[in-house]
Amino acid sequence: MRVYIATDHAGFAIKEFVKGLFEQRGYEVIDLGPESGDRVDYPDFAAKVAKAVAADPGSQGVLICGTGIGMSIAANKVPGIRAAEVHDHYTAQMARAHNDANVLCFGERVVGKGVIESIVEAWCSTQFEGGRHATRVAKIAQLEREYHGN
Ligand code: RB5
């Protein structure tokens, strides 16, 4: 499994820790920046990860900003992206099981390292359940096509 990761300045300090959590689980982690904690605009980095995931079927993304909100809003503008802002083990588990989320978003200013460990554990160990949830995810894709075309 390949995972693309990026942050803004408000998520930069936790990036190496999060990369390590995925690497420990055997993921190939591709860091799309930034390279320092200098102030940047989160949509620029959300776009890098969202476009990479959309172009690489089966891959996933991780986006970290102060709250996780701006990253998720921006990433979800890219067709094919289902970015979920999560807060804990439960929301990370449901994002995968029910929403087939392919980009994980959270806020460095919101969750600490212990919660991040449980988020990554839930994210990596949960499969999409399909069934009625696949019907709903397909409706999201249909809505996207109404605005973006095929
Ligand atoms: C940066 O101050 C902050 O606005 C950003 O990291 C993020 O929380 C936006 O949603």
Side-chain angles (χ1 to χ4, degrees), residues 67-70 72-73 76 83-87 91-92 95 103-107 110:
T67 60
I69 296 171
S72 61
I73 292 172
N76 277 318
E85 191 218 343
V86 310
H87 298 99
T91 50
V103 177
L104 170 65
C105 303
F106 55 85
V110 181

Side-chain angles (χ1 to χ4, degrees), residues 45-110:
F45 289 88
K48 287 178 192 284
V49 165
K51 289 177 181 177
V53 172
D56 184 1
S59 68
Q60 295 181 344
V62 179
L63 288 165
I64 311 164
C65 60
T67 60
I69 296 171
M71 285 295 201
S72 61
I73 292 172
N76 277 318
K77 299 300 181 191
V78 175
I81 295 305
R82 291 177 301 281
E85 191 218 343
V86 310
H87 298 99
D88 49 30
H89 184 280
Y90 181 72
T91 50
Q93 187 179 38
M94 289 300 106
R96 289 289 307 122
H98 287 191
N99 310 116
D100 199 17
N102 53 11
V103 177
L104 170 65
C105 303
F106 55 85
E108 184 189 316
R109 295 171 179 167
V110 181

Side-chain angles (χ1 to χ4, degrees), residues 4-82:
Y4 297 91
I5 187 169
T7 72
D8 69 355
H9 52 284
F12 180 76
I14 206 75
K15 185 164 58 150
E16 291 303 318
F17 175 73
V18 176
K19 286 166 64 177
L21 294 176
F22 280 90
E23 284 164 355
Q24 285 163 22
R25 289 171 170 78
Y27 283 64
E28 177 191 0
V29 180
I30 299 177
D31 187 338
L32 296 181
E35 293 176 0
S36 78
D38 292 350
R39 193 171 300 277
V40 293
D41 296 331
Y42 63 81
D44 296 336
F45 289 88
K48 287 178 192 284
V49 165
K51 289 177 181 177
V53 172
D56 184 1
S59 68
Q60 295 181 344
V62 179
L63 288 165
I64 311 164
C65 60
T67 60
I69 296 171
M71 285 295 201
S72 61
I73 292 172
N76 277 318
K77 299 300 181 191
V78 175
I81 295 305
R82 291 177 301 281

